[in-house]
Amino acid sequence: MAAWLGWVIESNWTDPFLFAVYSIVKPISGAAILVIMYGIISQGNYDNALFPYIYLGNAFYIYVGAVMTGVSWAVVDDREHYKTLKYMYIAPIYIPLYLLGRGVARFITGSIAVFITLAAGILFLNVKINFAEVDWLLFFVTLILGVVMLALLGLLLAGITLTVARHEGFIGEATAGALYIFSGAVFPLDVLPEWIRPIGYFMPTTYWLELLRRSLVGNVAQAFPTLASFSNLEILGILFGLSLFFGTISIWVFKICDARARELGLIDRTTNY
Amino acid sequence: MDNPKRSNEALLRPYSHKNTGWRLFLSTIIARAYPRIIGQQREVSWLVFDLIMPMLAVIAYVFVYRALNAPEEYIGFVVMGGAMTAFWMNILWSMSSQLYWEKEQGNLALYIMAPNSMMAILLGMALGGMLATALRALAVTLLGIFMFGVTYTVSSYLQLFLVFMLAMIALYGMGMMMASAFLLFGREAWHMANLAQEPIFLASGFYFPIKSLPFWVAAGASIIPLTLGMDAMRQLIFPTGFEYGFMTVQTEILILAVLSVVFVFTAKVLLAYVERIAVREGRITESRR
């Protein structure tokens, strides 16, 4: 039900045609900025391994903004905008599940954006994916594990959002923006200054994006030195371990923040921002 | 309990001062600009986020260029584009969507009822937004200099000043015009503002020279004042900037001047239309729409 509610909120503001245009134009434009930047400097040489690295990383990163921010944004939306969070809290439902359900709608719209971006890349922008060589099992296992990890990170942000005022809208965006850099979404981590790289190695999104690239374009993705010495299985193990770690922390932080918000009467606070 | 004698005195006392005409116009501009310039700085966390958010995109794009071994000018282009992003975001979220939000909070009806000009309110919003955002843009530029070693060599300060001022007048004129238009969009306003981010960053060449786009795409994107403004500024502040210019600086100054007049005039016409609807039908100020 929460997922359905989220979908209705996300999509019912306009007619289907405008919604489709909105869903297509936004992700394609974001990807096109990178394609043009790449095209200018490489003078149109799209055969370099860096191109699929950038394009695929950017395409799948849409999930980070959509799922993680989607879960935490539900708190802002329900508390400040619709003023319904207090009713959700007194209803006989499990709040973390409700918030995760709201994130599902963003997962659906995010999936549409990812699909459109990938399709545009393959059809018009010379992104070479040989579907016969794609490791589908690795792809789906990684995708599902990553989406669950992102949803749990979203729960962590939702907890923090419950306890702050006036700037809760920025929390998700700033976290997603920082992860974009530290995870090497659109450039290999080796480009970062050496002292910043360990942050990237600690982020599950780094391994998630690497595995997605490897499952789709195989050896092309493995050409970069950052994680070249690790096998797919080793990276999957690291991703699973980090997801478990961050997932546990997220649930723990949410519980603490939720208790604090109830204690301080923050559930129905509106700040008009 | 209030002292009844003192209450009566307060009722009988005449207004100490009441502005009318151009004085009212001017004081309305100052009053609306005040929360933008002073009030907004009081929320320190907003200030921090306002600086961090554009910087995150700038840093990511700088590292993309570094990964591609791009010439150093491009790093400067990205930093400048990131600084100008602050203005575009200000136009979208604090100008275009502002009247819609005022409506949702119930202030719009008060604005229209009050004896001041709506144009003065929009001008105040623009002036305040412009000054507050200029501080943020400056901070992003300085961070770019210190973090990435970007250097600027200004070839003509006069032209640079002229380009910047004309770009700002045209841009905020456009923002004033869009404020009325967004009000008419109703609940689609938020999504419209959201939609006008990445496509405009792409079409206006925030992170690469606009000359790289096909001529007619670049010409079409020139309707956004920042497109030509950034193109001219890049030509004026980077030694090799002229190689990447879409048009000559003089031509761009001329077009920006025309855009300034057109946008401010259209804003006035649209605002008058919105006020007419608001008074006649009471529809525009209805917060449930």
Side-chain angles (χ1 to χ4, degrees), chain B residues 236-258:
Chain B
L236 291 166
I237 62 174
F238 295 108
T240 54
F242 286 97
E243 292 170 23
Y244 304 98
F246 174 52
M247 295 178 204
T248 62
V249 173
Q250 288 82 356
T251 313
E252 288 176 336
I253 288 174
L254 194 70
I255 296 174
L256 283 172
V258 174

Side-chain angles (χ1 to χ4, degrees), chain B residues 48-100:
Chain B
V48 173
F49 277 116
D50 274 0
L51 292 178
I52 288 175
M53 298 305 284
M55 275 313 288
L56 290 175
V58 168
I59 292 169
Y61 288 136
V62 165
F63 282 123
V64 170
Y65 274 135
R66 289 258 158 96
L68 290 165
N69 296 318
E72 277 302 300
E73 289 94 329
Y74 282 87
I75 310 294
F77 292 169
V78 168
V79 170
M80 207 192 89
M84 300 311 276
T85 303
F87 287 106
W88 183 245
M89 298 303 264
N90 186 254
I91 288 295
L92 285 182
W93 297 107
S94 300
M95 285 293 297
S96 306
S97 317
Q98 189 66 36
L99 290 186
Y100 176 72

Side-chain angles (χ1 to χ4, degrees), chain A residues 51-75:
Chain A
F51 181 61
Y53 184 101
I54 293 174
Y55 196 87
L56 294 176
N58 180 67
F60 284 104
Y61 200 82
I62 291 172
Y63 276 125
V64 179
V67 178
M68 195 178 71
T69 314
V71 173
S72 63
W73 184 254
V75 171

Side-chain angles (χ1 to χ4, degrees), chain A:
Chain A
M1 282 303 285
W4 175 246
L5 174 70
W7 170 254
V8 170
I9 291 172
E10 290 295 320
S11 62
N12 82 339
W13 54 273
T14 186
D15 62 85
F17 175 73
L18 192 60
F19 182 68
V21 171
Y22 177 80
S23 306
I24 292 168
V25 170
K26 222 174 135 57
I28 296 262
S29 303
I33 292 173
L34 288 165
V35 172
I36 291 175
M37 285 168 65
Y38 178 89
I40 294 169
I41 305 302
S42 69
Q43 294 179 328
N45 174 21
Y46 293 98
D47 291 330
N48 191 306
L50 191 58
F51 181 61
Y53 184 101
I54 293 174
Y55 196 87
L56 294 176
N58 180 67
F60 284 104
Y61 200 82
I62 291 172
Y63 276 125
V64 179
V67 178
M68 195 178 71
T69 314
V71 173
S72 63
W73 184 254
V75 171
V76 184
D77 227 9
D78 282 11
R79 184 169 66 179
E80 297 274 343
H81 190 195
Y82 298 111
K83 299 180 176 62
T84 51
L85 192 63
K86 54 194 170 197
Y87 304 117
M88 294 302 169
Y89 262 81
I90 56 172
I93 56 170
Y94 186 53
I95 290 298
L97 264 187
Y98 166 73
L99 293 175
L100 291 172
R102 288 289 301 276
V104 171
R106 289 285 187 102
F107 168 72
I108 296 168
T109 50
S111 296
I112 296 169
V114 171
F115 177 78
I116 288 167
T117 309
L118 288 178
I122 294 165
L123 292 174
F124 308 114
L125 301 169
N126 217 17
V127 178
K128 287 172 186 148
I129 296 178
N130 184 347
F131 288 100
E133 288 177 10
V134 172
D135 187 340
W136 291 108
L137 180 67
L138 179 65
F139 176 76
F140 282 111
V141 168
T142 307
L143 186 68
I144 293 166
L145 182 59
V147 169
V148 172
M149 173 262 296
L150 291 172
L152 288 172
L153 284 177
L155 200 61
L156 185 150
L157 298 182
I160 297 169
T161 303
L162 271 175
T163 59
V164 296
R166 290 190 291 278
H167 29 268
E168 61 270 86
F170 293 117
I171 291 172
E173 278 181 47
T175 311
L179 281 177
Y180 193 64
I181 296 167
F182 295 127
S183 306
V186 287
F187 51 82
L189 275 186
D190 306 72
V191 181
L192 285 176
E194 213 165 323
W195 59 274
I196 294 180
R197 282 181 220 163
I199 303 173
Y201 294 136
F202 192 57
M203 294 294 125
T205 39
T206 305
Y207 303 95
W208 182 60
L209 291 171
E210 176 72 11
L211 273 183
L212 286 171
R213 286 190 198 103
R214 283 190 184 193
S215 64
L216 290 176
V217 289
N219 292 334
V220 176
Q222 280 167 305
F224 296 95
T226 317
L227 300 169
S229 57
F230 292 94
S231 69
N232 290 352
L233 207 62
E234 283 171 330
I235 295 182
L236 192 63
I238 298 170
L239 174 63
F240 184 77
L242 283 174
S243 301
L244 200 66
F245 174 74
F246 278 102
T248 310
I249 293 214
S250 298
I251 293 168
W252 180 66
V253 169
F254 183 83
K255 275 186 178 169
I256 291 175
C257 293
D258 180 64
R260 188 174 158 76
R262 287 171 193 258
E263 193 71 28
L264 298 175
L266 306 178
I267 304 298
D268 61 347
R269 177 179 59 180
T270 52
T271 50
N272 277 335
Y273 283 98

